[in-house]
Amino acid sequence: MAMAAPTGSAAPVAPALCGHLALLLLLAAPAAHGYSFPQQHTMQYWARRLEQEIDGVMRIFGGVQQLRKIYDDNKSLFEVKENVPRKLVEKVAGDIESLLAKKVRALKRLANAAEKFQKAHHWQDNIREEDIEYYDSKADTEYDDPDGEEIEREKSNSLKLEFTDDDNFKTKVNYSYAAVQIPTDIYKGSTVILNELNWTQALEDVFIENRKEDPSLLWQVFGSATGVTRYYPATPWRAPNKIDLYDVRRRPWYIQGASSPKDMVIIVDVSGSVSGLTLKLMKTSVYEMLDTLSDDDYVNVASFNEKAKPVSCFKHLVQANIRNKKVFKEDVQGMVAKGTTDYKAGFEYAFDQLQNSNITRANCNKMIMMFTDGGEDRVQDVFEKYNWPNKTVRVFTFSVGQHNYDVTPLQWMACANKGYYFEIPSIGAIRINTQEYLDVLGRPMVLAGNRAKQVQWTNVYQDALGLGLVVTGTLPVFNLTEDSSDRKNQLILGVMGIDVALNDIKRLTPRYNLGANGYVFAIDLNGYVLLHPNLQPQIINFREPVTLDFLDAELEDENKEEIRRSMIDGNDGQRFIKTLIKSLDEQYIDEVFRTYTWAPIKSTNYSLGLVLPPYSTYYIQANLSDQILQVKYFEYLLPNSFESEGHVFIAPREYCKDLDLSDNNTEFLENFIALMEKVTPDSKQCDNFLLHNLILDTGITQQLVDQVWKDQDLNTYSLLAVFAATDGGITRVFPNKAADDWEEEPEPFNASFYRRSLDNKGYIFKPPYRDAGYRGLDLENNTIGILVSTAVELSIGGKTLKPAVVGVKLDLEAWAEKFKVLASNRTDKDQLGTRRCDPSSSCEMDCEANNKDLICVLIDDGGFLVLSNQEDHWYQVGKFFSEVDANLMSALYNNSFYARKESYDFQSVCAPEAPSNTGAAPRGVFVPTVADLLSLAWWTSAAAWSLFQQFLYSLTYSSWFQTEEVVGDGMEARETSCIMKQTQYYFSTVNATYNAIIDCGNCSRLFHAQRLANTNLLFVVADKPLCSQCESVKLLQAEVRAPPRDPNQCELVDRPRYRKGPHICFDYNATEDTSDCGRGASFSPSLGVLLSLQLLLLYSSTSRHPLPPAACL
């Protein structure tokens, strides 16, 4: 343990006197060779010398004062404008509302037209494929078989279209046609599908008219309840490398639009008769059922035999968000079949769950989904007790597996409780039969008519056609036909959707006038962010919506919880708060002040927020009306000026529409210069604000070169470079050769040193980051630099702002030597090695003469090593100090010099954890006999079609053919989403000087620590460790993959975050006809397709190698 003695404080309790006395004795006692540990006043003296040296260099080379004067001298060239938060929020919210309102008008035209077209359509029983003309988006898609060979395409009557590249869609499109996508496991030659294709053909004209009225429209999509997707404009389908199992009915936007929110309890029969293949079917069915739920829904899953119990740690209904569903999916795999069946236990558990009113839940559709292999008990007494006569809970029953049980009781349960009965004889029937319950839930919506036609906006999610992050406006489409008795049809036809790219919404928000640390964000009713600079999901083509909570996008605190609640409630407001933020590189934590301002975006589910630091209340707007001056300043951007004026990096911003962006700054600068030779900064195709500010800052930083940098010898002070970066997008590095080793972002707003300098007073040191595995380079051939930067604060007419950051780059090796001298007892007159100490005339150790016995280091506010008197530490500069001296870093943390903040990154990707395949032989697959194969009746049976689907799903559920448990919708061995745990350290509020002893018997060490004024540095002097017997826990800073169940979802669900669901619920209508309540699985197979696939199935069943998993959808 470490015992500390803060200066100016007395020991609060008597027992501590012993430790303090021991510390004083150790400090006073001479060490070997007559040297004693430095006294406190000595180390304070060294600290002052270090502070003075740093301040002196920054005053000479930083040029803060000179730059202030330059701005003052040039104030006729710019205006100081004010950001008024409430006005900004009001304007942006109005602009977003107008953008989405245009999409809503198009959406309503489409939905009304679809209902009209379907009502006028005449059903054709004898319709044929060749009668329908449409573009099949998958007709030209190439698939590879498991062995990497191209699979022969199915014959298609698809239209042959030509496509042209389109920047808006980021792909090739054809604006004259719509495209059709039909899931692979649906037979597109069936009568239902052909009739669907027939009447939806008329939508193409409406799609085209919508685009004429609003050319900015992106994908217009009709997702049918039959699984057919018709989208405009036409483009080939972006399919995975293997089998394509995309089904629009499982997309987040469709699920949200097709029904009101749900409270669902899933109960699974795990009695002894449910074993082997049937149990696997049930597990996969639950997995797929969970995928039909959205964040507006609540769910719990339980297994039952004689008793019922939850499969996971969740004791009540929980929100069906990604993380909770992941827990269910993992725990469902652990279900084991044993005991006898007691339906009563399962249903009583489910009803009790649904009747629990002390928890947050959807409070709309209530349902029980029971999976079983069959039974005789109808448990009528349970339904009489809990559900009759009102029948507020729907019961859906699923008969799973191949068996001979009487299914009449299961059908009766569903029909008696406004539900539906389904059969799942094989894995191929799972996806269809676990999603068709949505048709039943849609009945009250259809019967409610126009009241249920509410436009809803989705969470953010990845577009399946490559548009990137989008939100979708959805509107249900109803079947308006009536039967012979004039009864309304109660089927939902599907959902109409129109996409809005997130980038289009971002373009409506201010950016550069808010400064580097100001930003706009928006959240929905779940508290998930629609806009936020930290919304950066790394995984693509991911089936789940991108659900990042506002409190996970930022570091959570009480103020932000209250702001989030107010935004969800649709209020407006403003609050000035002190909060913690992560640095852009996620290595540091800063305590900052921010003003949060928010207001609702009307006619949507969203609320908009603006965050501004105090120094961003005002900003500079250049006004370079003098064209001669424009030309003069522009010349300083030309590379031929760099040798004398320093190298200029320009921020890669969209200054003009025709400017080609590039990740290579030299190339980008060339593109910029070439364009500027054709247009002027006042051109209509350019952003005049960005261009004028860029050119102004070019001239201002050049004047800094002339007035300060050119007259100084950098080598005298061991500097590798001096630099200035500005809000206008200029980074000037002097001399020109220093640009070769410049590793900072050319966009100042994306540079960690720039943003941290604005938020912190004084000089901010930034060593090059090194991870724990870094082993160093040859210092003689590779000069290492340390950035030191500070913000330039201006006061113009009483208005304070920070438009620039200046700094120097220190030569590590030279400054390490200088550091030893400054932290030593010799004066300028002394020569190294001239002082002698012996037992009769003791003297204090210092960081230069006694570097074999004394460790002296400078550590920054994140705990990273900046300078050391130990030469073997030089290659470790930039490492977290615990990697250098774990014992000493632990002592600093335990003595409250550092505080620790742990958080989670929910947007990361990780390499998949390798599964252990204990067996590779297929099992549990029914393979027909030769007699079966020769029987035409068999080929047209449901069994054959079931086998076809079983084959398709075997490609997806690869583990189905192995002894491992099924893991639905399998993914290839590629990066997958995961949670990363982050730990940052930062200075605590303790500013005292500490002398302390790390008490470890004969291995004890003395140390002294003191903050350096006006910097982010901690000066630490310590004994070198005498032995390695005093091992302490090594503090970790590097980001690591969060262990399973961390964060603990089981605890988090008991204190759920505030949210609101949709304000209207459609779960009941007195006129609903519940007589259609159950059937088995029936399919219409294609004989040719079945024959070829059956042969493949036979091959796979005899092969020693399992089929690989399908691509991630």
Side-chain angles (χ1 to χ4, degrees), residues 367 535 545 702 736 831 843 860 923 941 990-991 1025-1026 1039:
M367 66 201 70
L535 178 62
Q702 186 277 331
N736 183 39
Q831 296 297 317
C843 58
D860 71 15
R923 67 176 190 177
S941 69
V990 175
N991 286 313
L1026 298 175
E1039 184 179 62

Side-chain angles (χ1 to χ4, degrees), residues 880-1105:
F880 185 58
F881 192 59
S882 191
E883 300 293 338
V884 182
D885 192 330
N887 186 249
L888 185 51
M889 185 64 198
S890 293
L892 294 171
Y893 174 69
N894 292 334
N895 280 276
S896 300
F897 275 99
Y898 286 94
R900 179 167 59 192
K901 184 72 177 179
E902 293 181 341
S903 59
Y904 296 90
D905 178 3
F906 296 100
Q907 303 178 90
S908 295
V909 293
C910 300
E913 296 176 346
S916 57
N917 294 331
T918 56
R923 67 176 190 177
V925 181
F926 166 68
V927 178
T929 64
V930 174
D932 287 328
L933 293 173
L934 295 175
S935 168
L936 181 62
W938 183 87
W939 282 108
T940 57
S941 69
W945 185 246
S946 176
L947 264 177
F948 161 50
Q949 295 183 73
Q950 185 164 296
F951 169 75
L952 293 180
Y953 280 81
S954 71
L955 298 178
T956 302
Y957 301 91
S958 62
S959 56
W960 185 265
F961 293 103
Q962 303 171 26
T963 57
E964 295 297 303
E965 296 297 331
V966 176
V967 289
D969 251 10
M971 301 192 181
E972 289 186 358
R974 59 176 66 180
E975 290 182 328
T976 59
S977 64
C978 62
I979 300 173
M980 299 298 287
K981 188 174 185 177
Q982 297 181 340
T983 305
Q984 288 92 10
Y985 291 80
Y986 59 101
F987 284 154
S988 68
T989 54
V990 175
N991 286 313
T993 299
Y994 267 72
N995 286 317
I997 180 172
I998 304 173
D999 188 7
C1000 191
N1002 294 331
C1003 297
S1004 297
R1005 300 170 66 187
L1006 291 168
F1007 77 91
H1008 169 91
Q1010 178 174 336
R1011 293 267 294 273
L1012 293 190
N1014 209 35
T1015 73
N1016 65 327
L1017 298 178
L1018 181 68
F1019 177 39
V1020 183
V1021 179
D1023 283 327
K1024 269 197 170 180
L1026 298 175
C1027 50
S1028 59
Q1029 297 174 9
C1030 187
E1031 294 295 335
S1032 58
V1033 176
K1034 183 179 178 180
L1035 299 178
L1036 298 178
Q1037 188 276 336
E1039 184 179 62
V1040 295
R1041 185 168 185 170
R1045 304 298 168 88
D1046 185 16
N1048 193 330
Q1049 285 298 117
C1050 307
E1051 296 177 0
L1052 292 177
V1053 296
D1054 289 329
R1055 49 180 192 280
R1057 287 170 172 165
Y1058 182 70
R1059 65 172 296 276
K1060 278 188 173 180
H1063 60 283
I1064 296 180
C1065 169
F1066 298 97
D1067 63 340
Y1068 172 78
N1069 191 291
T1071 63
E1072 179 185 346
D1073 179 8
T1074 62
S1075 60
D1076 180 12
C1077 57
R1079 53 172 173 71
S1082 61
F1083 306 96
S1084 301
S1086 164
L1087 185 58
V1089 170
L1090 277 176
L1091 183 57
S1092 58
L1093 286 173
Q1094 181 61 21
L1095 293 174
L1096 278 172
L1097 181 61
L1098 285 167
Y1099 169 77
S1100 69
S1101 68
T1102 56
S1103 170
R1104 294 185 179 182
H1105 304 288

Side-chain angles (χ1 to χ4, degrees), residues 584 649 652 665 725 731 742-753:
L584 198 64
F649 297 92
N665 202 253
T731 302
W742 188 256
E743 297 179 349
E744 305 305 316
E745 288 285 340
E747 170 58 82
F749 285 16
N750 292 339
S752 184
F753 82 87

Side-chain angles (χ1 to χ4, degrees), residues 93 111 139 333 483 519 547 833-834 864 888 912 914 943 958 1049 1056:
Q333 301 305 322
D483 62 16
Y519 57 92
T547 52
T834 57
F864 297 95
L888 185 51
S958 62
Q1049 285 298 117

